[in-house]
C-alpha cells in the first residue's frame, strides 16, 4: 500500500494561488525585519544633518529629498505590515504635518526590541501589555516635561520658536531665511481674534527658477505663473473684479445647421448679431464698474477683442482651486453665467500687475489695504529639486502653526525630552510587578534611538553623546530638562540658547501612533494573501528575424 504525501495546509480552503505565513514560520521576525528595513532607510534622513535620498517613481520623476512623507508616498511598498506603519505615518502627516519619520523610526526600534524579548521567552501578549502601560505613563509624563510656551500668535519671536526647528530639520543653514518668510506669510492670514479659522491652504507657494533663495519674497495676495490674456496688463488703482466659471465666448448650439449665403453682404451680416451681443455684454460689465475679469475657463477671441476695446484686464485661471482662492482674496462670488454682476457679486483688488521674474511672466494680485486671507511665498532657486525641497520645508513650517493652535506648550528638542523619558519609563518599570517589568524597561530604551540617530548623522560618536546626555539629565532640575545635543559644537548644550523646541501635541501624537502601530503589528500571528487579481498573462511571441534568415 503506497503512502499518500500530505498536501499544503488549507489546500482546499482557499482559491489556488494564495500564500500564508504563520507564527510558527517566524512571522514576528519577518515583520520586524521588514519594518526595520524601512525604518533604517528613514532614520538616516532624520535631523538637521540627515542625508538625502534619490527616489525615482513609477513615472520616472526624480525626487531628491530627506522628507519621510515624500519618500513613503513615492515608494511602491507591497508588504502588508509595512503598509500598517505607513498608515500611522500618513495620519501623523495629516494631523500635524511633521514628525512622520519619528513615527517610523520609533516603531522600528520598538519592534526590534519586541523581537529580542520574544527570543528570551516573553509572550507577545505580555509585550503588548507592557508597551501599553509604558505609553500611558509617557503621555501623562510629557506634561511635566514642558519647558516653554508660545504665548503670543502676533509676536515674530514666539512663532519662530515653533517654526525654526521644523524647517532646520529639512533645510539646515537656510532656516533663518525660510523661517522669516513663513512667519511673514502666516501673520498675513492669521486672525488673533479667531485663531481656529487658520487654514494651511491659504499659504501658497510659487516656484520660479533662477537667482537664489535670498531673492524669495512674500506677497499679500496671490501670484499666478502666467500673464493676462488681453492688452491691459496692469491696474494700479483699487478696482472691482468679477469671476466667471463658464467659458467667455459665443454660445454654440447643440445641433449643427447649414446656412446658405447668397452674396457678400449676407456674409458680412452673418455674425453681426453675435458681435453686437458680445459688445453689449462687455459694455454692461464695464458700465457696472468692473475693471478686472477673472476667467475660470476659456476666453474666446471675439470676447477678448471687445474686452480690450473697453480696457478690461482679463486673467485666465484654469485651476478650480485657484479660482476658489482668488474669490477669497478679493471677496467675489464665482458666477456660472455671463453678464454684468450685481454689487454683492463683485470683489475688490487693490493692485494687479504683471512682472517678469527670472524670465517668467507672472501676474501679481496684491491686497494692500484690506485684510487678505491668502498669502503667497515666491521662492527662487537654481534647480527644480531644490525648489521642491524648499517647498516641503515651508509646508512643514506652516503645518507647525496648525499644531501650535491645538496646544501652545513646547518640549525641549534635540533629544532632550527622549533622555528624560528613558529615565521616567525605566523608573515606572522598576515599580511594576511581573514579567511586564522587562517589557516596560526595554520600551524605555527605544527612545535612545532619537539622540543616537541625531549624533550619528552629525558625524559624532553616539555612545559618547548618550553618556554625556544621561549625565546632564541625572538631576531633576529645569536646566537638566533643557540639555540637548548641539551638533554644531559637538557637545551637550542648553536648548533654550539653541532655540530648539518640539511641540507637545506633535510629539505626543507621534509616540501614540508609533506604539499603536507596533502593538497592531505584534498582534498579527498569521498573514494570508490571496492571489492578485488580473487576467491570464499571454506568452510573449518571439520576434521575427531578418527576411533572409534561415527558418
Amino acid at each position: 500500500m503506497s503512502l499518500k504525501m500530505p498536501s499544503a495546509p488549507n489546500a482546499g480552503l482557499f482559491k489556488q494561488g494564495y500564500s500564508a505565513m504563520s507564527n510558527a514560520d517566524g512571522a514576528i521576525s519577518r515583520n520586524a525585519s521588514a519594518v526595520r528595513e524601512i525604518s533604517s532607510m528613514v532614520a538616516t534622513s532624520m535631523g538637521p544633518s540627515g542625508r538625502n535620498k534619490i527616489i525615482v517613481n513609477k513615472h520616472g520623476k526624480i525626487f531628491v529629498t530627506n522628507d519621510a512623507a515624500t519618500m513613503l508616498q513615492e515608494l511602491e511598498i507591497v508588504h502588508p505590515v509595512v503598509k500598517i506603519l505607513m498608515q500611522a505615518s500618513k495620519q501623523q502627516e495629516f494631523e500635524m504635518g511633521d514628525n512622520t519619520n519619528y513615527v517610523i523610526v520609533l516603531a522600528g526600534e520598538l519592534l526590534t526590541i519586541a523581537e529580542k524579548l520574544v527570543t528570551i521567552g516573553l509572550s507577545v501578549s505580555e509585550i503588548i501589555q507592557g508597551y501599553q502601560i509604558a505609553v500611558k505613563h509617557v503621555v501623562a509624563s510629557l506634561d511635566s516635561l514642558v519647558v516653554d510656551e508660545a504665548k503670543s500668535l502676533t509676536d515674530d519671536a514666539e512663532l519662530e520658536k515653533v517654526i525654526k526647528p521644523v524647517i532646520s530639520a529639512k533645510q539646515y543653514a537656510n532656516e533663518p531665511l525660510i523661517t522669516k518668510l513663513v512667519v511673514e506669510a502666516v501673520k498675513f492670514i492669521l486672525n488673533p481674534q479667531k485663531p481656529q479659522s487658520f487654514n494651511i491652504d491659504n499659504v501658497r507657494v510659487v516656484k520660479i527658477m533662477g537667482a537664489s533663495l535670498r531673492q524669495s519674497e512674500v506677497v499679500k495676495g496671490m501670484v499666478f505663473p502666467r500673464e493676462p490674456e488681453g492688452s491691459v496688463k496692469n491696474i494700479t488703482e483699487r478696482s472691482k473684479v468679477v469671476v466667471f466659471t463658464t467659458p467667455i465666448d459665443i454660445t454654440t448650439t447643440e445641433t449643427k445647421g447649414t446656412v446658405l449665403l447668397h452674396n457678400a453682404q449676407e456674409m458680412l451680416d452673418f455674425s453681426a448679431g453675435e458681435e453686437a451681443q458680445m459688445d453689449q455684454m462687455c459694455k454692461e460689465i464695464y458700465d457696472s464698474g468692473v475693471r478686472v475679469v477673472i476667467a475660470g475657463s476659456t476666453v474666446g477671441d471675439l470676447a477678448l477683442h471687445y474686452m480690450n476695446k473697453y480696457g478690461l484686464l482679463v486673467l485666465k485661471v484654469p485651476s478650480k482651486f485657484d479660482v476658489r482662492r482668488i474669490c477669497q482674496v478679493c471677496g467675489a462670488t464665482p458666477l456660472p453665467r455671463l453678464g454684468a454682476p450685481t454689487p454683492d457679486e463683485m470683489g475688490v483688488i487693490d493692485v494687479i500687475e504683471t512682472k517678469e521674474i527670472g524670465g517668467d511672466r507672472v501676474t501679481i494680485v496684491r491686497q494692500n489695504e484690506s485684510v487678505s486671507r491668502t498669502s503667497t511665498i515666491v521662492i527662487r532657486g537654481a534647480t527644480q529639486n531644490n525648489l521642491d525641497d524648499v517647498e516641503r520645508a515651508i509646508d512643514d513650517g506652516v503645518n507647525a502653526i496648525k499644531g501650535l493652535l491645538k496646544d501652545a506648550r513646547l518640549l525641549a528638542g534635540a533629544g532632550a525630552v527622549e533622555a528624560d523619558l528613558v529615565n521616567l519609563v525605566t523608573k515606572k518599570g522598576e515599580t511594576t510587578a511581573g514579567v511586564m517589568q522587562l517589557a516596560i524597561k526595554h520600551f524605555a530604551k527605544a527612545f535612545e534611538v532619537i539622540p543616537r540617530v541625531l549624533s550619528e548623522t552629525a558625524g559624532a560618536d553616539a555612545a559618547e553623546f548618550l553618556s554625556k546626555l544621561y549625565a546632564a539629565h541625572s538631576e531633576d532640575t529645569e536646566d537638566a530638562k533643557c540639555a540637548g545635543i548641539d551638533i554644531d559644537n559637538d557637545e551637550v548644550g542648553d536648548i533654550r540658547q539653541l532655540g530648539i523646541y518640539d511641540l507637545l501635541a506633535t510629539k505626543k501624537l507621534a509616540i501614540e501612533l508609533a506604539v499603536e502601530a507596533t502593538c497592531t503589528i505584534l498582534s498579527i500571528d498569521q498573514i494570508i494573501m490571496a492571489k492578485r487579481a488580473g487576467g491570464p498573462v499571454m506568452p510573449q511571441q518571439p520576434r521575427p528575424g531578418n527576411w533572409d534568415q534561415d527558418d
Side-chain angles (χ1 to χ4, degrees):
M1 183 177 179
S2 61
L3 292 173
K4 185 179 179 183
M5 295 297 292
S7 60
N10 300 326
L13 181 62
F14 300 113
K15 193 176 179 181
Q16 190 176 5
Y18 86 98
S19 61
M21 185 170 64
S22 66
N23 205 5
D25 301 327
I28 292 177
S29 178
R30 292 188 186 184
N31 293 346
S33 177
V35 172
R36 196 183 306 118
E37 192 170 340
I38 192 76
S39 174
S40 62
M41 185 177 70
V42 172
T44 55
S45 295
M46 181 184 269
S49 302
R51 306 293 187 268
N52 285 342
K53 301 285 189 295
I54 292 182
I55 297 172
V56 183
N57 67 3
K58 59 186 177 183
H59 302 298
K61 188 177 179 183
I62 298 173
F63 294 84
V64 182
T65 181
N66 62 353
D67 184 45
T70 306
M71 293 181 209
L72 297 176
Q73 186 177 351
E74 299 303 328
L75 290 171
E76 289 191 8
I77 293 172
V78 296
H79 199 288
V81 170
V82 179
K83 282 187 175 181
I84 293 172
L85 189 56
M86 285 175 62
Q87 287 171 1
S89 181
K90 284 179 180 176
Q91 188 62 26
Q92 175 73 16
E93 174 73 13
F94 177 74
E95 291 282 342
M96 295 295 177
D98 189 32
N99 271 11
T100 50
N101 49 3
Y102 190 100
V103 175
I104 294 173
V105 171
L106 183 59
E109 191 70 12
L110 287 170
L111 275 171
T112 303
I113 288 169
E115 186 184 3
K116 293 176 183 176
L117 291 173
V118 169
T119 307
I120 63 175
L122 264 73
S123 66
V124 174
S125 59
E126 289 168 343
I127 296 170
I128 292 173
Q129 287 175 15
Y131 279 8
Q132 288 172 345
I133 292 170
V135 74
K136 285 179 183 176
H137 183 65
V138 167
V139 171
S141 303
L142 281 174
D143 293 338
S144 64
L145 299 177
V146 172
V147 295
D148 204 344
E149 187 174 355
K151 301 175 182 64
S152 174
L153 295 174
T154 57
D155 187 9
D156 290 4
E158 295 295 315
L159 291 175
E160 284 180 9
K161 277 184 186 178
V162 180
I163 297 172
K164 194 173 181 180
V166 174
I167 293 177
S168 65
K170 300 286 188 300
Q171 286 287 318
Y172 189 51
N174 289 328
E175 74 271 9
L177 179 60
I178 299 175
T179 301
K180 188 178 178 182
L181 292 172
V182 174
V183 169
E184 190 179 346
V186 166
K187 284 183 71 177
F188 277 152
I189 63 172
L190 191 61
N191 186 355
Q193 279 73 37
K194 294 181 180 179
Q196 299 305 323
S197 63
F198 175 79
N199 187 359
I200 58 172
D201 291 333
N202 290 345
V203 178
R204 300 182 69 248
V205 175
V206 172
K207 299 171 286 187
I208 299 177
M209 286 182 65
S212 69
L213 192 61
R214 298 191 180 279
Q215 273 68 51
S216 302
E217 62 175 332
V218 177
V219 176
K220 189 178 182 183
M222 295 184 71
V223 177
F224 298 96
R226 61 190 302 149
E227 60 179 334
E229 301 295 313
S231 58
V232 182
K233 304 292 184 184
N234 299 287
I235 293 181
T236 56
E237 59 185 12
R238 193 175 174 88
S239 307
K240 292 181 180 178
V241 59
V242 62
V243 180
F244 293 116
T245 57
T246 56
I248 305 175
D249 203 353
I250 299 168
T251 55
T252 56
T253 56
E254 292 183 4
T255 57
K256 292 183 179 180
T258 304
V259 178
L260 185 63
L261 301 174
H262 296 89
N263 51 47
Q265 188 59 40
E266 288 184 359
M267 180 176 283
L268 291 172
D269 295 340
F270 174 65
S271 60
E274 291 176 341
E275 290 176 8
Q277 185 181 0
M278 185 60 70
D279 189 3
Q280 180 65 24
M281 186 196 72
C282 294
K283 188 175 185 302
E284 287 176 1
I285 293 174
Y286 179 81
D287 291 340
S288 66
V290 171
R291 295 295 177 268
V292 180
V293 177
I294 306 293
S297 188
T298 57
V299 181
D301 293 336
L302 187 62
L304 192 60
H305 165 72
Y306 284 110
M307 287 186 179
N308 286 336
K309 173 185 172 183
Y310 290 104
L312 298 174
L313 187 146
V314 184
L315 179 63
K316 184 179 174 184
V317 182
S319 169
K320 291 181 180 178
F321 299 103
D322 285 343
V323 168
R324 193 181 304 151
R325 289 193 185 105
I326 193 69
C327 289
Q328 286 182 353
V329 171
C330 63
T333 303
L335 300 179
R337 55 168 178 81
L338 294 177
T342 63
D344 293 338
E345 294 169 339
M346 297 180 196
V348 178
I349 288 177
D350 289 338
V351 177
I352 183 165
E353 59 182 345
T354 305
K355 285 177 66 177
E356 186 171 342
I357 304 177
D360 295 340
R361 303 282 291 177
V362 299
T363 303
I364 300 175
V365 178
R366 297 184 189 273
Q367 294 288 80
N368 296 325
E369 297 177 11
S370 57
V371 177
S372 171
R373 290 178 292 174
T374 300
S375 58
T376 303
I377 302 175
V378 181
I379 55 174
R380 310 295 309 281
T383 63
Q384 190 63 41
N385 281 322
N386 185 34
L387 291 174
D388 291 342
D389 224 20
V390 172
E391 184 185 12
R392 294 183 198 105
I394 290 172
D395 183 54
D396 286 354
V398 175
N399 273 287
I401 302 298
K402 186 169 68 171
L404 175 66
L405 295 174
K406 294 182 179 180
D407 195 336
R409 291 176 292 174
L410 302 174
L411 299 170
V417 71
E418 281 77 18
D420 277 330
L421 287 174
V422 171
N423 294 331
L424 289 170
V425 178
T426 303
K427 289 177 183 177
K428 175 68 177 177
E430 289 172 351
T431 59
T432 305
V435 291
M436 282 188 291
Q437 178 182 136
L438 201 59
I440 295 171
K441 283 185 176 180
H442 279 75
F443 180 94
K445 290 182 181 177
F447 287 110
E448 284 184 2
V449 70
I450 305 302
R452 186 169 69 243
V453 166
L454 290 175
S455 55
E456 283 175 354
T457 53
D461 185 3
E464 183 182 350
F465 259 101
L466 282 171
S467 61
K468 287 181 180 178
L469 198 62
Y470 284 138
H473 283 264
S474 59
E475 299 177 10
D476 190 14
T477 62
E478 194 67 25
D479 290 339
K481 286 182 186 177
C482 298
I485 296 174
D486 182 1
I487 62 172
D488 289 333
N489 301 314
D490 286 342
E491 63 181 13
V492 174
D494 192 334
I495 62 98
R496 291 170 295 189
Q497 297 175 3
L498 300 172
I500 305 172
Y501 297 96
D502 287 335
L503 275 167
L504 173 65
T506 305
K507 183 78 75 176
K508 191 180 285 187
L509 182 65
I511 293 171
E512 287 176 338
L513 287 173
V515 177
E516 187 179 342
T518 304
C519 292
T520 303
I521 293 169
L522 284 174
S523 62
I524 297 168
D525 73 333
Q526 197 168 8
I527 300 173
I528 304 167
M529 290 185 288
K531 184 181 178 181
R532 280 198 167 189
V537 180
M538 298 298 292
Q540 191 173 2
Q541 296 295 328
R543 293 183 178 180
N546 201 354
W547 65 275
D548 60 350
Q549 212 171 21
D550 293 334
D551 292 337

